[in-house]
Amino acid sequence: MSTAAPTAKRRTRDTWTSQTGFLLAAIGSAIGLGNIWRFPGVAYTNGGGAFLVPYLVALLFAGIPILWLEYAVGHKFRGTPPWAFRRMSVKGEFLGWFCVFICFVIITYYAAVVAWSSSYVVYSINEAWGNDSKTFFLSSFLGTVGSDEFSWTPVLAVSVPLLLVWVCTLLIVSFGVSKGVEKANKVFLPLLVVLFLALVVRALFLPGALEGLNAFFTPNWSALTDSKVWIEAFAQIFFSLSVGFGIMLTYASYLKKNSNVTGTALVAGFANSSFEILAGIGVFSALGFMAHTQGVAVSDLQGLRGPILSFVTFPKIISMMPGGPLFGVLFFSSLVLAGITSLLSLLQVVSGALQDKFAMQPIKASLVMGIPATVISLALFGTRSGLNTLDIVDNFINNVGVVGCAVAMTLFTALVRPRLAGLRKHLNSVSAPAIPPVWDFLVGIVIPAVLAFMLISSLITSLREGYDEYATYLVTIFGWGSVAFALIASAILTLVPWSHPQRTSTTPTDQEMA
Ligand code: PFF
């Protein structure tokens, strides 16, 4: 079968203009809200300083190996997940779309958190939360309803900035990889590092900072015998590095043919973890200050993780410190920047997949993905039950969707030609350091086994206990529903015929590999 109509204009695939551009984008994707609001609390409650042991093991033996796997598939098969996996085997396309729809679901709520953060940049200026940051966040700002209710009532303070986040990020993605995503990361990531460093230095000089750091780093070695701690470490690495559901695969597909892929992955992996530890230092210095001011121990503090850490505990700290408004602006601007660079990577997966399958231009792909995504995002997360829905969707899409996708991806690449040995050969032929053969064993057997264990245990807990105190119908609709949505949408998109003039045959042509 001919793969290109003679009259069809042959469009070359967009590429990063430089290796540094790619590296910045990859780091920008990895450093996200998870680094700032998830890592410090997870590390603290899972052994403190001792958590670094399972964390580093997870980074070296799972995070970096999967990063290499995604880079290998993306770079060798030059496509977003549906096209790259389809080129390995026609049956792989479904898995590719599953990656895409997981990204789609995550985008719809991740954008909402970026929107909250941008509102809080403004609220910081006059400490709008007054002396009750919890009531302000839950009632005055979000108007949150009970955990057994759903509401369509929009919250203007959320939907307006949310719309703005959508317009900005879609605009960036519509410029394509080199002119949009790469340029934005070149500005946003260095800016984030500078702002965040300023914030950490300020936090370190607060009275009580040392007590916070002591609480954070003091190792509780007995935690190492607890399997839950090890699972938390693996989950943190997966979430934080953005691996296992095709983001890094997509970014690597825009690399030039001769690129040092393995070395770049190492730099990206370590840069992400360094930022995470820096965030732990900043957050716990600030928490130490809060405990010191209130005359309590750090171990007595509550709300050390997730939205509550950022939007309830931090505002409280900001109100207590001299120069609080500036600190607040720095903190929430960091969340906005970290969030946007991650959001761009998630959007690029969806946009790129539409471009691959339907030969759309980036502008059209942005609209086709952006309109439904914006509507869903506003309807589910810009309303009074937004916080609850977000919590449920986030839990299920990560613990079931992302982990399930990662298991499928490792098994698929281990079983389908060119198999892991072939992918490793590909990476070693273009980059240094060379990957040792033990990688095949890690990615093909150890990692899927660990991940399958994680998946099964979270499935059992969710089936038995539901999730948190939320009503069963909400958990069913939004939790299981979001995973079901991703599966059904993937099946539909797999069945739709390809309409890209150069992508109708799955046999790689020399031109495509060039
Ligand atoms: N790695 C990013 C973060 O830590 O926030 C991006 C990300 C990963 C966002 C996974 C959402 C997600 F579910």
Side-chain angles (χ1 to χ4, degrees):
M1 193 165 68
S2 134
T3 53
T7 47
K9 216 174 25 166
R10 207 188 158 88
R11 219 168 335 117
T12 45
R13 199 177 163 78
D14 203 354
T15 54
W16 306 104
T17 59
S18 66
Q19 185 105 356
T20 319
F22 164 68
L23 181 63
L24 287 179
I27 298 176
S29 167
I31 297 181
L33 302 168
N35 297 57
I36 301 175
W37 82 17
R38 201 169 183 279
F39 175 79
V42 169
Y44 175 69
T45 44
N46 288 289
F51 184 73
L52 290 179
V53 175
Y55 177 79
L56 281 175
V57 169
L59 173 66
L60 293 175
F61 294 98
I64 302 231
I66 301 263
L67 205 51
W68 279 334
L69 173 70
E70 289 208 25
Y71 281 6
V73 175
H75 187 247
K76 183 169 171 66
F77 293 100
R78 290 291 164 91
T80 52
W83 177 235
F85 289 141
R86 187 183 158 94
R87 291 181 80 190
M88 294 175 70
S89 154
V90 178
K91 294 198 190 91
E93 187 181 341
F94 174 79
L95 172 61
W97 284 110
F98 188 50
C99 294
V100 172
F101 281 102
I102 286 182
C103 290
F104 183 88
V105 172
I106 295 178
I107 296 165
T108 56
Y109 69 82
Y110 207 77
V113 186
V114 176
W116 300 347
S117 309
S118 58
S119 294
Y120 267 70
V121 173
V122 182
Y123 294 157
S124 294
I125 297 172
N126 61 349
E127 296 172 2
W129 46 80
N131 47 22
D132 188 354
S133 59
K134 190 168 181 184
T135 310
F136 179 82
F137 177 60
L138 295 176
S139 306
S140 319
F141 176 53
L142 295 179
T144 303
V145 294
S147 59
D148 53 352
E149 273 176 75
F150 179 77
S151 162
W152 291 110
T153 316
V155 178
L156 279 186
V158 178
S159 11
V160 174
L162 182 54
L163 204 60
L164 219 69
V165 169
W166 276 107
V167 173
C168 292
T169 48
L170 288 171
L171 202 68
I172 296 174
V173 175
S174 72
F175 281 102
V177 171
S178 51
K179 294 203 188 83
V181 178
E182 181 174 345
K183 281 218 169 97
N185 273 290
K186 278 186 174 161
V187 177
F188 293 160
L189 189 66
L191 191 61
L192 166 66
V193 173
V194 171
L195 293 188
F196 204 73
L197 270 176
L199 182 118
V200 174
V201 170
R202 170 72 188 111
L204 278 173
F205 284 101
L206 288 167
L210 215 58
E211 289 149 47
L213 292 179
N214 262 334
F216 182 56
F217 283 114
T218 303
N220 165 17
W221 296 112
S222 66
L224 297 186
T225 54
D226 184 352
S227 64
K228 205 190 105 260
V229 169
W230 286 82
I231 290 184
E232 285 271 19
F234 277 83
Q236 176 61 28
I237 282 293
F238 270 82
F239 184 93
S240 165
L241 266 183
S242 312
V243 287
F245 54 110
I247 297 187
M248 292 299 171
L249 189 160
T250 302
Y251 267 10
S253 75
Y254 301 108
L255 274 168
K256 297 208 165 86
K257 198 179 167 203
N258 280 321
S259 305
N260 182 350
V261 187
T262 56
T264 315
L266 281 176
V267 178
F270 281 101
N272 177 59
S273 289
S274 309
F275 190 93
E276 208 148 67
I277 291 172
L278 185 73
I281 294 175
V283 167
F284 271 84
S285 302
L287 289 171
F289 162 72
M290 178 166 149
H292 175 88
T293 315
Q294 294 180 335
V296 296
V298 176
S299 57
D300 292 332
L301 297 177
Q302 305 271 312
L304 305 185
R305 206 164 144 171
I308 299 296
L309 170 76
S310 301
F311 298 102
V312 175
T313 310
F314 255 82
K316 224 183 262 174
I317 297 173
I318 291 163
S319 295
M320 286 176 185
M321 70 168 62
L326 177 63
F327 191 83
V329 170
L330 284 177
F331 179 74
F332 290 109
S333 306
S334 300
L335 282 182
V336 172
L337 291 170
I340 286 191
T341 50
S342 298
L343 207 49
L344 291 177
S345 67
L346 291 156
L347 285 164
Q348 184 57 41
V349 177
V350 187
S351 160
L354 292 171
Q355 293 174 46
D356 273 351
K357 184 143 186 170
F358 303 108
M360 283 180 194
Q361 295 286 354
I363 297 186
K364 188 167 173 204
S366 271
L367 288 173
V368 170
M369 125 182 104
I371 293 170
T374 309
V375 172
I376 296 175
S377 187
L378 285 168
L380 296 184
F381 308 109
T383 49
R384 296 189 59 182
S385 48
L387 175 66
N388 299 347
T389 313
L390 189 149
D391 192 11
I392 300 173
V393 175
D394 177 60
N395 178 65
F396 277 79
I397 209 71
N398 279 298
N399 294 333
V400 180
V402 171
V403 180
C405 190
V407 174
M409 187 189 285
T410 45
L411 293 178
F412 176 78
T413 46
L415 294 171
V416 171
R417 277 202 324 145
R419 302 211 179 89
L420 296 168
L423 292 171
R424 174 165 48 82
K425 236 179 249 151
H426 170 77
L427 284 182
N428 289 348
S429 71
V430 289
S431 33
I435 301 179
V438 66
W439 177 76
D440 306 9
F441 173 69
L442 273 178
V443 174
I445 295 172
V446 180
I447 298 174
V450 173
L451 290 173
F453 176 75
M454 282 167 61
L455 178 64
I456 292 168
S457 48
S458 66
L459 279 176
I460 293 176
T461 338
S462 308
L463 283 170
R464 266 208 210 132
E465 299 163 19
Y467 176 58
D468 228 0
E469 79 279 25
Y470 298 109
T472 315
Y473 82 98
L474 292 175
V475 173
T476 311
I477 296 177
F478 297 112
W480 298 108
S482 58
V483 180
F485 163 79
L487 286 169
I488 296 168
S490 310
I492 296 174
L493 264 292
T494 306
L495 294 174
V496 175
W498 285 75
S499 51
H500 191 300
Q502 287 129 31
R503 309 233 195 296
T504 41
S505 157
T506 51
T507 336
T509 61
D510 289 344
Q511 265 167 317
E512 270 166 359
M513 295 300 277

